Amino acid sequence: VGGLGVSISRTLYALLWSKKLGWAYNCAVYSAGMIIERAALCANDKVVAIAGRNFFFPSKPGTFHDTCTKYARVNAIVHAALCAAAGPGALIWLFWAELGWQLPPHPAMAMFISNHPSSESADAGGRLC
């Protein structure tokens, strides 16, 4: 979407964004897109750890995939240790802590949106969503 490569959130924006349904609806679309994209990235991390390759970047050199694999495997070990020590709630808390600053009404959300420009942003009437 928009020539920026694969992006779950930008695809959802393109499909569901509405000028008619208002800013609250668009905030919900934005939030749903970010939640789904972050959950997919968490799952992809485990795929990379098991497969030894990041399938989102098929043209990258082997050294890139080796680095991604090492990082993903260390993450998997840390996640397993957190689950063993504190239960699955620890991972759920980390997921929402990572995601929280990207969602309305957190003030840092504006910083995140500025990294994801939209051709429709001039029409939003100055609102963040």
Side-chain angles (χ1 to χ4, degrees):
V1 176
L4 298 175
V6 177
S7 173
I8 294 168
S9 58
R10 286 183 57 85
T11 300
L12 282 174
Y13 305 158
L15 293 173
L16 300 175
W17 205 262
S18 172
K19 291 181 181 181
K20 295 178 184 175
L21 296 177
W23 67 268
Y25 169 82
N26 288 333
C27 278
V29 168
Y30 169 83
S31 297
M34 295 311 299
I35 291 167
I36 293 167
E37 184 171 84
R38 292 295 167 219
L41 289 172
C42 289
N44 182 62
D45 200 35
K46 303 311 176 269
V47 170
V48 172
I50 294 167
R53 185 162 186 80
N54 191 330
F55 297 107
F56 281 108
F57 303 101
S59 300
K60 294 281 188 174
T63 55
F64 171 85
H65 293 287
D66 292 343
T67 301
C68 284
T69 300
K70 288 176 190 173
Y71 181 82
R73 288 178 178 162
V74 169
N75 270 350
I77 291 167
V78 170
H79 292 166
L82 282 170
C83 272
L91 295 181
I92 294 168
W93 187 91
L94 286 173
F95 175 78
W96 288 108
E98 164 64 21
L99 192 61
W101 68 273
Q102 300 172 19
L103 301 177
H106 197 288
M109 182 199 99
M111 199 171 48
F112 191 80
I113 288 177
S114 68
N115 289 333
H116 290 76
S118 170
S119 60
E120 301 289 329
S121 63
D123 296 338
R127 293 190 175 106
L128 293 177
C129 295

